[in-house]
Amino acid sequence: MVGFGKRIKRKAPKGWESLMLDYSLLKSRLEMASEVESLDGSQHERTDSKVALALRNSFQHLLDSELEKVLAHYSLYSARLCSRVEGLKAETSVASQFLRQGLGPSELAELTKDVKTLAELWVEQAGKLRMLLQYLTLNLEGLRKILKKYKKSNAVGVSPMPGLVTLRLDHPSLPGGFVEQGSFLPLDMVEQINAMKDHDELVEASQTVRAALLELDAMKRHLSEAAGRS
């Protein structure tokens, strides 16, 4: 069976492989931290406590860095996508208003071309939306898997405490149904990560794309009938 570290890069959207959560590196760092925590009593006494703490925190810093990378790409791409969707929505509304006017044969022909172009642009955005959702889904799966391993490992997690913010992930596969992990990231960034997990803006964009394509199909039928009557 192909490990998730290889699978996440193999299934990553083309050109985005380096922007994925580095699951393999996180897993390796976690194994290092877990190994220190699993030492027996006599060995543990001889282990520099500062080294043990550094290993525990090293995993968290790496996880924070990887999440920051994913968030930066998601935020930039989703903002561009949502902006383009809003622009196309306005253009489609204008085309719909023209359709309700009395148009001559030449105007009908021009509007038919515009509607066809709009449909192609909407299909393009639908493809970009699917790509971003695939990117998000794979990275959230990677986050869930690595936090599940962390919760089950011998490594002592970075527990939520004063001075640290909390990153929480809920999923039926996690022990107890959720995991809470302290994070060294700024509060506003953790809030953005939590918002990314919900991805409400993509849900709204998906609904807008679907509605627009249905509207354009109806406009095409109307224009075809109007052309037949002229």
Side-chain angles (χ1 to χ4, degrees):
M1 180 181 293
V2 178
F4 184 76
K6 292 182 178 179
R7 184 159 63 89
I8 190 174
K9 291 188 175 181
R10 188 184 65 190
K11 289 191 172 183
K14 187 176 180 180
W16 290 6
E17 293 84 359
S18 64
L19 298 168
M20 304 300 290
L21 190 81
D22 197 333
Y23 179 84
S24 296
L25 182 58
L26 284 165
K27 182 181 176 184
S28 175
R29 193 69 57 86
L30 174 58
E31 289 170 350
M32 291 173 59
S34 181
E35 184 178 348
V36 170
E37 298 296 339
S38 64
L39 294 175
D40 62 41
S42 59
Q43 290 176 310
H44 194 75
E45 289 174 359
R46 294 194 299 269
T47 301
D48 189 338
S49 61
K50 292 183 178 180
V51 174
L53 177 61
L55 284 171
R56 292 196 297 269
N57 288 344
S58 173
F59 171 82
Q60 185 59 52
H61 280 298
L62 177 61
L63 178 61
D64 287 347
S65 177
E66 288 297 303
L67 287 174
E68 191 172 0
K69 175 183 68 179
V70 170
L71 176 63
H73 179 66
Y74 173 83
S75 299
L76 177 63
Y77 200 88
S78 63
R80 289 176 177 173
L81 175 63
C82 291
S83 176
R84 184 58 177 140
V85 164
E86 285 302 308
L88 284 175
K89 182 179 178 181
E91 292 179 39
T92 303
S93 177
V94 170
S96 179
Q97 291 172 16
F98 271 118
L99 186 59
R100 290 193 287 270
Q101 299 175 9
L103 302 177
S106 62
E107 293 171 317
L108 283 172
E110 187 65 28
L111 184 56
T112 299
K113 291 180 182 179
D114 291 342
V115 168
K116 180 181 178 182
T117 299
L118 279 170
E120 291 171 350
L121 291 172
W122 276 112
V123 169
E124 180 184 351
Q125 296 310 307
K128 291 181 177 181
L129 178 60
R130 284 193 296 270
M131 186 165 66
L132 186 56
L133 284 170
Q134 180 184 11
Y135 175 80
L136 181 60
T137 299
L138 284 169
N139 282 300
L140 288 180
E141 184 181 359
L143 176 61
R144 174 175 59 80
K145 285 181 175 293
I146 200 65
L147 288 183
K148 182 178 180 180
K149 283 183 177 294
Y150 201 31
K151 193 170 184 179
K152 286 184 174 181
S153 73
N154 292 317
V156 177
V158 180
S159 302
M161 62 182 71
L164 290 181
V165 293
T166 302
L167 179 66
R168 178 181 173 115
L169 191 65
D170 297 275
H171 197 275
S173 68
L174 292 169
F178 73 95
V179 62
E180 285 187 339
Q181 183 76 4
S183 173
F184 299 113
L185 291 171
L187 176 59
D188 62 334
M189 190 167 290
V190 172
E191 290 175 345
Q192 290 176 51
I193 290 171
N194 287 328
M196 179 180 69
K197 290 186 296 180
D198 295 332
H199 56 277
D200 292 336
E201 65 278 4
L202 294 192
V203 173
E204 183 178 347
S206 178
Q207 294 171 344
T208 301
V209 170
R210 188 179 300 110
L213 289 173
L214 289 173
E215 182 179 7
L216 286 167
D217 281 341
M219 290 170 66
K220 286 179 182 178
R221 289 194 298 270
H222 186 95
L223 285 165
S224 179
E225 293 170 359
R229 292 192 300 268
S230 63

